[in-house]
Amino acid sequence: MPFGMLSFSSTSTKGDQTNTGAAGGYQYDTTRIRGFALTHVNGAGCHPGAMGDVPIMPMSGEVTSSPSADTKDEVFASDFSHADEQATPGRYSLKLANGTATDFAATTRAGVGTFSFPKEKQANLLFRTSNSLNGSEDAEISIDRDRRTVPGGRRRPR
């Protein structure tokens, strides 16, 4: 949503998990995604991205290592085609080459995302609390199964 508190959008990668090709996290000519973050901010002084971003990456298949160890985004990222991408104010959807599909909607102060996974593979959501756009590794996260929430976040690098 233009001028909203959330900017749920994709974080593209050129093979370096601590940086993207463009400020704000998305570069059109980069067709590899490492997650979808809630707080992409664009403009002068914003590179390498908004403070507090935590990209969420849908993955199908077993997770056998830490995403932080994937320094070149070879394992825990996915290719995509712009033909499988749709964007309108307040709405964004994308089907990834890894078989997952995403759909995001935002209002002025809230957002929701849905993820669809292939039935034959294990479904996973990776919360990249370390090595997101501005390279912070000072982060924590927990999973509250009873409330079905994922509280936590990352701190601004000093």
Side-chain angles (χ1 to χ4, degrees), residues 126-137:
L126 304 179
F127 289 79
R128 291 181 173 268
T129 55
S130 67
N131 292 330
S132 56
L133 280 180
N134 41 3
S136 173
E137 293 180 6

Side-chain angles (χ1 to χ4, degrees), residues 46-94:
C46 292
H47 191 70
M51 295 298 168
D53 70 303
V54 176
I56 302 166
M57 183 64 186
M59 295 293 300
S60 42
E62 189 175 0
V63 176
T64 59
S65 64
S66 170
S68 291
D70 184 22
T71 60
K72 295 186 180 188
D73 286 331
E74 295 172 319
V75 178
F76 298 108
S78 179
D79 292 331
F80 75 97
S81 168
H82 289 295
D84 296 322
E85 182 178 47
Q86 295 182 344
T88 58
R91 191 89 187 243
Y92 179 77
S93 64
L94 176 64

Side-chain angles (χ1 to χ4, degrees), residues 57-61 77-79 95-101 116-118 121:
M57 183 64 186
M59 295 293 300
S60 42
S78 179
D79 292 331
K95 179 160 181 168
L96 298 170
N98 72 10
T100 63
S116 302
F117 298 90
K121 293 186 177 180

Side-chain angles (χ1 to χ4, degrees), residues 1 4 9 14 19 32 67 71 81 89-90 97 112 115 126-127 146:
M1 177 64 69
S9 56
K14 287 186 165 188
N19 202 358
R32 190 151 177 84
T71 60
S81 168
V112 65
F115 303 92
L126 304 179
F127 289 79
D146 294 336

